[in-house]
């Protein structure tokens, strides 16, 4: 830089000196000075294509994308076969979310330079964002054929394969990237995600630990890694890790995905913060120009439901009857599926409940938003939230004038493009409204929809065949193992000690979790043999085996949700302790709706006292079971038609506010 300055002093009109000086300043990250030097070179030589190209690079680094694009365009006017300029022009267009134009620019670059690995790599990235997964995979395959040591191409190839659920192939691609670049933290992280999806939790945890050792500040990794530990019921250094995550959230750091905080803490303020950070980082507002046309209030309201779970999945098990029960005289239903088309029983039933049902798996988020707008969707309901296979970008692009967070995610999305969250007065009391970015829709009974047509198998299980002792009192919890925290385990072991002839029947997610839970029981002075593990089975049989349990013990802070409905539908009472957060109050909401408030406790002491009382007094438990049986088919909880009317009343109120130009506000639906 000093030498270029001397050269310019000797020859003030030296174009190359200003250009090379700018390059040095660019390498020094003194971007504004570099820009001024490129401008000087261009002023001296207006046909200097390389100067326009590098000027574009600096402008892109400064975040001035439109100006960068103009600079690349000028370079191409001067040098139409400038492949590097076409490639970088594509990068700017991709950052501007002008994806089709970006693809065209990459294609032009590749036409000029067919073996340009970088252009092919960037082309793969934009094709993945456009959800053209086969083309993206082909593009990455060409990259690694040209340049076998291109670690990032193997990494992104793994991302494509993960997207289309070719998990073993994705794992092999990440392994290849890591073999080339052993400290590739992103590849180690995504490798962990694939291993989790494959239920290989031990290996997933090891991969996360390696990634964390390489890059401790990798976005959202600490929470992801800790969740893998919880899936194994591995509670080593749990409190210390949680303290670190909470401190990171307080400082605005990207330390955990939001779902993990629902499991780890009962503090709604922390859950809100986690969602805010995640939404801002991963799903910022990307709204395409607003072009909503208000239709006449006499028209049917068009409601769109968006999910990856329109198949044999908990969401569809709960919602199938709702889709069938909607009033076709006032509502048109549109289903947008971005999950697998398994053509199973629930897929066929759910699809039949919609007026129009679309498989949008191969469409980009923005294309789905445009499709929704073209169909005039009035109210868009996100059934995924921040859960696996979600597509929050559809809502960030504003697919409808009114957007609703419902069912899939038991917490706030903390994003400005969600207007409402569906809840009830138990889930979100007035003093907790401050922890939700959405306005609250208060339904009169419970927020949770249910299907009164769910089948319970006629199969009669014996205790012996399921590994349960004939004469024991059977406490059970069929929640996912990651919901079991040390404090919950402490309480359960105290119950087993207090009720001598009792066992605890748990779901077996994975063998390591079962082994760790047995070890934790032994540490707490309980014979590990008193923990009995249930393998997963098809839902109707699972519901039937509930008859062999005596009392379902809930977890805190993440309650049984669908699992509570399963138990109650199967005739099994659920004892819960209600916390402060949405996720910790769901079971209480469901028990209130079925008129079993005697099973809702407020403190750990009350929870344990009530469990011992019910286990020690068979007549009390018998009365509760008889009450549950009498309420099961008459309470609002399992009345799909009644629920549909209440939810429709909420939709009407939302729509009327929108049509009248009023901002969203809390809505209270009357019984």
């Amino acid at each position: 830089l000093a030498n270029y300055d001397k050269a310019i002093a000797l020859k003030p009109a030296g174009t190359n000196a200003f250009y090379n000086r700018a390059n040095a300043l660019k390498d020094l990250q003194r971007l504004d000075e570099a820009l001024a030097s490129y401008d000087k070179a261009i002023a001296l030589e207006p046909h200097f294509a390389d100067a326009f190209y590098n000027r574009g690079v600096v402008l892109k680094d400064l975040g001035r994308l439109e100006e960068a694009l103009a600079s690349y365009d000028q370079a191409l006017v001067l040098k139409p076969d400038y492949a590097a300029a076409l490639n970088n022009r594509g990068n700017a267009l991709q950052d501007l979310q002008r994806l089709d134009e970006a693809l065209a620019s990459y294609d032009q670059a590749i036409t000029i330079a067919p073996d340009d690995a970088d252009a092919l790599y960037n082309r793969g990235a934009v094709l993945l964002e456009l959800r053209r997964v086969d083309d993206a995979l082909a593009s990455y395959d060409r990259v690694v054929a040209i340049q076998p040591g291109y670690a990032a191409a193997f990494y992104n190839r793994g991302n494509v394969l993960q997207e289309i659920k070719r998990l073993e192939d994705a794992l092999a691609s990440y392994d290849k990237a890591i073999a080339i670049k052993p400290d590739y933290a992103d590849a180690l992280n995504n490798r962990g995600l694939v291993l989790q999806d494959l239920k290989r939790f031990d290996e997933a945890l090891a991969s996360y630990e390696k990634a964390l050792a390489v890059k401790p500040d990798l976005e959202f990794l600490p929470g992801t890694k800790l969740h893998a530990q919880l899936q194994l019921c591995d509670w080593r250094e749990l409190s210390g890790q949680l303290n670190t995550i909470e401190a990171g959230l307080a400082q605005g750091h990207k330390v955990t995905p939001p779902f993990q905080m629902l499991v780890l803490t009962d503090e709604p303020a922390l859950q809100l913060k986690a969602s805010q950070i995640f939404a801002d980082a991963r799903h910022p507002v990307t709204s395409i120009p607003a072009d909503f046309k208000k239709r006449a209030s006499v028209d049917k309201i068009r409601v769109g439901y968006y999910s990856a779970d329109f198949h044999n999945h908990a969401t569809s098990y709960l919602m199938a009857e709702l889709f069938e029960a909607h009033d076709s005289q006032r509502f048109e239903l549109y289903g947008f599926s971005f999950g697998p088309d398994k053509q199973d029983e629930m897929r066929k039933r759910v699809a039949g409940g919609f007026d129009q049902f679309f498989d949008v798996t191969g469409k980009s988020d923005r294309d789905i938003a445009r499709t929704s707008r073209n169909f005039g969707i009035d109210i868009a309901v996100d059934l995924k939230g921040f859960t696996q296979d979600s597509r929050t970008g559809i809502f960030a692009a504003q697919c409808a004038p009114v957007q609703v967070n419902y069912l899939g995610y038991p917490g706030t999305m903390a994003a400005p493009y969600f207007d409402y969250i569906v809840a009830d007065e138990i889930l979100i009391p007035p003093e907790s409204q401050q922890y939700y970015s959405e306005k609250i829709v208060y339904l009169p009974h419970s927020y949770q929809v249910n299907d009164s047509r769910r089948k319970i198998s006629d199969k009669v299980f014996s205790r012996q065949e399921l590994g349960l002792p004939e004469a024991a009192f059977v406490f059970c919890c069929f929640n996912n193992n990651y919901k079991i925290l040390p404090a919950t385990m402490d309480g359960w072991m105290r119950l087993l000690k207090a009720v001598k002839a009792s066992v605890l029947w748990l779901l077996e997610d994975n063998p390591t979790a079962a082994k760790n839970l047995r070890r934790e029981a032994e540490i707490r002075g309980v014979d590990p043999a008193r923990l009995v593990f249930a393998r997963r089975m098809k839902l109707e049989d699972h519901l039937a085996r509930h008859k062999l349990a005596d009392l379902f013990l809930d977890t805190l802070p993440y309650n049984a949700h669908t699992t509570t409905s399963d138990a109650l539908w199967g005739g099994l009472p659920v004892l819960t302790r209600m916390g402060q957060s949405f996720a910790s109050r769901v079971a209480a909401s469901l028990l209130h709706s079925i008129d079993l408030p005697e099973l809702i406790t407020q403190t750990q002491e009350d929870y344990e006292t009530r469990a011992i009382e019910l286990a020690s007094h068979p007549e009390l438990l018998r009365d509760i079971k008889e009450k549950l049986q009498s309420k099961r088919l008459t309470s609002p909880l399992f009345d799909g038609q009644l629920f549909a009317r209440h939810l429709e009343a909420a939709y009407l109120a939302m729509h009327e506010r929108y049509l009248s130009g009023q901002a969203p506000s809390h809505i209270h639906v009357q019984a």
Side-chain angles (χ1 to χ4, degrees):
L1 181 62
N3 279 322
Y4 292 135
D5 286 340
K6 288 178 184 177
I8 290 165
L10 293 169
K11 188 180 178 182
T15 304
N16 285 336
F18 276 107
Y19 173 72
N20 288 334
R21 178 178 183 272
N23 290 342
L25 287 161
K26 175 165 69 73
D27 290 345
L28 288 165
Q29 289 297 300
R30 290 162 59 178
L31 300 181
D32 290 310
E33 295 172 78
L35 184 61
S37 205
Y38 285 130
D39 286 343
K40 184 65 176 177
I42 290 166
L44 292 167
E45 175 49 69
H47 297 93
F48 200 161
D50 287 345
F52 276 108
Y53 167 78
N54 280 320
R55 180 177 181 272
V57 173
V58 168
L59 286 163
K60 183 175 183 297
D61 287 346
L62 286 167
R64 293 159 62 177
L65 296 175
E66 294 286 0
E67 294 172 80
L69 191 59
S71 205
Y72 293 135
D73 285 341
Q74 187 59 42
L76 288 162
V77 168
L78 297 169
K79 188 179 176 181
D81 62 347
Y82 202 157
L86 285 163
N87 181 32
N88 276 23
R89 179 178 181 273
N91 294 342
L93 287 163
Q94 188 173 0
D95 286 350
L96 287 164
Q97 286 295 299
R98 292 161 59 178
L99 301 181
D100 292 314
E101 294 173 78
L103 181 60
S105 200
Y106 294 135
D107 285 341
Q108 284 180 267
I110 293 162
T111 299
I112 295 164
D115 291 340
D116 185 336
D118 287 337
L120 285 162
Y121 172 84
N122 291 331
R123 179 178 181 270
V126 80
L127 285 165
L128 177 56
E129 200 164 352
L130 286 166
R131 287 302 200 279
R132 290 173 52 182
V133 289
D134 291 335
D135 293 335
L137 190 58
S139 205
Y140 288 126
D141 284 342
R142 282 183 63 190
V143 174
V144 297
I146 293 164
Q147 197 170 319
Y150 204 141
F154 279 108
Y155 166 72
N156 271 18
R157 183 175 179 275
N159 293 344
V160 176
L161 291 162
Q162 184 179 8
E163 179 71 26
I164 58 177
K165 299 299 183 183
R166 287 173 52 184
L167 300 179
E168 294 288 356
D169 292 335
L171 188 60
S173 205
Y174 290 134
D175 284 342
K176 184 69 175 177
I178 294 161
I180 296 165
K181 185 182 176 183
D183 62 347
Y184 202 157
D186 288 305
L188 287 162
N189 179 63
N190 284 19
R191 180 177 182 273
L193 295 174
V194 167
L195 287 163
Q196 272 192 278
D197 223 359
L198 288 167
K199 309 295 185 186
R200 291 161 59 179
F201 299 116
D202 301 83
E203 295 170 80
L205 178 58
S207 202
Y208 292 139
E209 287 173 339
K210 288 179 183 176
L212 204 57
V214 172
K215 192 174 182 182
D217 61 346
L218 184 63
E219 289 185 359
F220 306 112
L221 177 55
T224 301
K225 178 251 182 187
L226 184 51
H227 191 68
Q229 279 188 235
L230 295 183
Q231 287 176 307
L232 294 165
C233 296
D234 174 356
W235 302 329
R236 290 171 298 161
E237 301 175 4
L238 176 59
S239 60
Q241 292 182 75
L242 179 55
N243 289 340
T244 299
I245 288 171
E246 290 180 354
L249 289 174
Q251 296 170 38
H253 296 163
K254 303 167 190 174
V255 288
T256 182
F259 180 83
Q260 280 73 341
M261 291 309 291
L262 305 183
V263 178
L264 289 165
T265 179
D266 192 34
E267 294 292 334
L270 282 171
Q271 295 172 357
L272 171 64
K273 186 67 173 177
S275 289
Q276 286 173 334
I277 292 168
F278 190 81
D280 288 347
R282 293 288 174 88
H283 304 291
V285 177
T286 59
S287 180
I288 49 185
D291 54 2
F292 299 118
K293 296 176 177 61
K294 292 183 180 179
R295 297 182 298 108
S297 59
V298 295
D299 291 344
K300 291 182 183 180
I301 297 175
R302 295 176 182 173
V303 180
Y305 289 96
Y306 301 72
S307 182
D309 301 328
F310 292 132
H311 53 88
N312 287 346
H313 182 279
T315 296
S316 290
Y317 294 144
L318 292 176
M319 296 201 70
E321 187 174 9
L322 171 67
F323 302 140
E324 298 160 349
H326 269 309
D327 183 351
S328 61
Q329 299 301 309
R330 295 191 297 173
F331 295 89
E332 285 181 6
L333 295 194
Y334 293 74
F336 295 87
S337 173
F338 42 83
D341 181 4
K342 297 184 177 181
Q343 281 302 305
D344 54 28
E345 176 191 0
M346 196 53 69
R347 171 70 163 211
K348 294 172 183 175
R349 181 181 168 193
V350 166
F354 289 99
D355 294 288
Q356 297 199 53
F357 187 81
F358 306 100
D359 185 340
V360 294
T361 308
K363 289 182 174 288
S364 71
D365 292 346
R366 291 167 72 85
D367 282 344
I368 297 170
R370 287 193 186 93
T371 299
S372 301
R373 291 182 178 204
N374 290 340
F375 278 104
I377 301 301
D378 298 301
I379 299 171
V381 184
D382 181 14
L383 299 176
K384 289 300 298 178
F386 293 133
T387 60
Q388 188 175 26
D389 301 323
S390 60
R391 296 281 295 273
T392 310
I394 297 167
F395 299 87
Q398 197 74 42
C399 61
V402 177
Q403 302 193 144
V404 181
N405 167 20
Y406 178 52
L407 193 66
Y409 184 72
T412 181
M413 296 296 288
Y417 38 82
F418 280 100
D419 303 295
Y420 297 97
I421 181 172
V422 178
D424 56 59
E425 291 185 354
I426 288 180
L427 286 176
I428 306 178
E431 63 270 20
S432 295
Q433 291 175 358
Q434 61 185 306
Y435 304 119
Y436 298 81
S437 66
E438 307 92 339
K439 296 301 180 184
I440 318 301
V441 172
Y442 287 102
L443 297 185
H445 302 293
S446 175
Y447 88 111
Q448 192 188 92
V449 63
N450 267 284
D451 178 10
S452 63
R453 290 171 50 191
R454 279 206 285 174
K455 296 176 185 174
I456 300 178
S457 169
D458 293 330
K459 187 170 183 178
V460 178
F461 294 97
S462 70
R463 283 194 167 190
Q464 183 179 12
E465 70 181 292
L466 296 179
L468 296 167
E470 290 294 338
F473 186 92
V474 178
F475 293 111
C476 94
C477 180
F478 291 141
N479 284 355
N480 284 311
N481 291 166
Y482 65 75
K483 295 183 181 181
I484 304 171
L485 297 184
T488 298
M489 189 67 171
D490 291 342
W492 287 351
M493 294 306 100
R494 285 192 292 267
L495 292 178
L496 291 186
K497 288 178 179 178
V499 182
K500 300 300 181 185
S502 65
V503 295
L504 178 59
W505 194 19
L506 301 171
L507 189 69
E508 183 175 345
D509 273 348
N510 60 86
T512 301
K515 181 184 72 175
N516 286 338
L517 286 169
R518 287 192 175 104
R519 188 190 70 242
E520 294 292 340
E522 191 168 25
I523 290 169
R524 290 162 175 79
V526 173
D527 181 355
R530 294 177 70 185
L531 271 57
V532 181
F533 288 90
R535 298 291 178 88
R536 292 187 182 274
M537 59 176 60
K538 63 181 181 179
L539 180 61
E540 60 191 65
D541 289 341
H542 173 62
L543 293 174
R545 70 178 167 184
H546 280 74
K547 295 183 179 70
L548 298 182
D550 294 299
L551 181 65
F552 189 111
L553 298 174
D554 199 10
T555 50
L556 188 82
Y558 201 127
N559 286 172
H561 294 184
T562 305
T563 319
T564 294
S565 286
D566 288 347
L568 296 175
W569 185 243
L572 177 63
V574 177
L575 179 67
T576 192
R577 177 185 161 200
M578 185 167 64
Q580 300 303 310
S581 62
F582 189 125
S584 71
R585 301 171 73 88
V586 169
S589 166
L590 303 179
L591 289 165
H592 172 78
S593 182
I594 205 168
D595 192 26
L596 286 170
E598 58 267 41
L599 293 174
I600 303 169
T601 64
Q602 306 286 338
T603 68
Q604 184 64 27
E605 183 181 1
D606 288 345
Y607 174 86
E608 293 179 31
T609 299
R610 188 64 171 146
I612 293 167
E613 181 183 35
L614 292 172
S616 306
H617 296 83
E619 70 283 1
L620 293 179
L621 188 58
R622 185 180 59 249
D623 289 346
I624 287 175
K625 286 189 173 183
E626 288 175 357
K627 182 180 177 183
L628 171 57
Q629 197 59 36
S630 69
K631 297 283 185 181
R632 182 173 162 270
L633 298 179
T634 59
S635 76
L637 182 60
F638 295 111
D639 189 336
Q641 295 287 333
L642 179 65
F643 185 91
R645 301 294 81 79
H646 291 153
L647 188 61
E648 287 169 354
Y651 289 158
L652 286 165
M654 295 175 196
H655 190 54
E656 286 170 7
R657 292 192 70 85
Y658 166 67
L659 289 179
S660 63
Q662 298 179 77
S665 183
H666 301 309
I667 293 170
H668 293 261
V669 176
Q670 300 303 310

